[in-house]
Amino acid sequence: SGGMFGFLPKYLEGIGNVTMRRAVTREALDSVDVIFIANLLEKIPEEERNLIWEFVENGGGLLIVGDHTGTDAIREPTNDLLSPCGLELNFDTAVPLRRSWVSAKSYLFHPLGRSGGKMDAELWLGASVTAGPKGEPFVVGRGAFSDPGDMNNKARSYLGNLAYDPGEPLGDVVLAAAAHWG
């Protein structure tokens, strides 16, 4: 309904997709090809979670995006939902070493990474991803670092200092990953 993803439904409709908001029911899932979730604020009830994974196992798509340094909201509910496939949002902020992601990231060989550069203007700051054993990174911050979140910085959404400090992961920061299921 807002934030960085507020206009995404309009964009998707503009390129020929149909978007809708519905409760997760078997009937609703029968009429869609992809479930899209942005900044999940609370855990999905077990019954709905099982329906989602049944949908994915039967060939449906699940696309999830999450902002940086989420705690009870965003990171934990998202990681709970993604636990079957081993993908996780990290408690950090992926930060380019320069002012822009334009030369700081690489799109790897994966269908989701073939945007023709259209994603360039849309990347800003977000959580990095742990791909796990079943995951495939497809957008990687070669010229980036992982800045750990700060649990004492609630006023600024738990952001760290957004500056590279020795010992922080540097280069090959996974910005987006996919996992196959079913």
Side-chain angles (χ1 to χ4, degrees):
S1 65
M4 298 300 235
F5 310 108
F7 287 105
L8 187 58
K10 294 288 183 202
Y11 170 77
L12 293 171
E13 290 167 2
I15 60 171
N17 295 284
V18 175
T19 64
M20 64 188 100
R21 292 182 185 181
R22 290 191 179 167
V24 179
T25 64
R26 192 173 308 282
E27 294 76 28
L29 294 177
D30 285 343
S31 66
V32 300
D33 296 319
V34 176
I35 299 169
F36 172 75
I37 299 172
N39 286 347
L40 186 58
L41 297 178
E42 55 190 39
K43 286 186 179 180
I44 294 176
E46 185 176 356
E47 182 179 324
E48 292 179 20
R49 188 174 178 263
N50 291 340
L51 286 172
I52 289 170
W53 282 105
E54 180 181 310
F55 169 80
V56 173
E57 189 169 311
N58 291 323
L62 176 60
L63 175 61
I64 298 177
V65 295
D67 217 341
H68 56 78
T69 59
T71 57
D72 296 339
I74 302 173
R75 187 175 59 90
E76 289 180 16
T78 300
N79 289 348
D80 180 67
L81 178 60
L82 291 174
S83 63
C85 67
L87 298 176
E88 289 185 357
L89 293 179
N90 295 317
F91 182 63
D92 71 349
T93 305
V95 182
L97 289 171
R98 297 188 178 174
R99 293 180 186 237
S100 168
W101 283 106
V102 172
S103 63
K105 68 187 173 324
S106 297
Y107 293 96
L108 304 181
F109 298 103
H110 187 280
L112 292 174
R114 295 186 196 133
S115 69
K118 292 177 187 170
M119 291 173 53
D120 285 351
E122 300 303 321
L123 285 174
W124 193 34
L125 296 177
S128 69
V129 178
T130 297
K134 298 176 185 174
E136 296 177 49
F138 66 89
V139 181
V140 176
R142 302 277 190 217
F145 64 96
S146 168
D147 189 50
D150 179 353
M151 288 301 289
N152 296 316
N153 193 7
K154 184 176 182 179
R156 292 202 56 227
S157 302
Y158 306 104
L159 287 169
N161 64 7
L162 300 180
Y164 178 72
D165 295 315
E168 293 177 348
L170 178 62
D172 293 337
V173 176
V174 179
L175 305 173
H180 297 277
W181 189 262

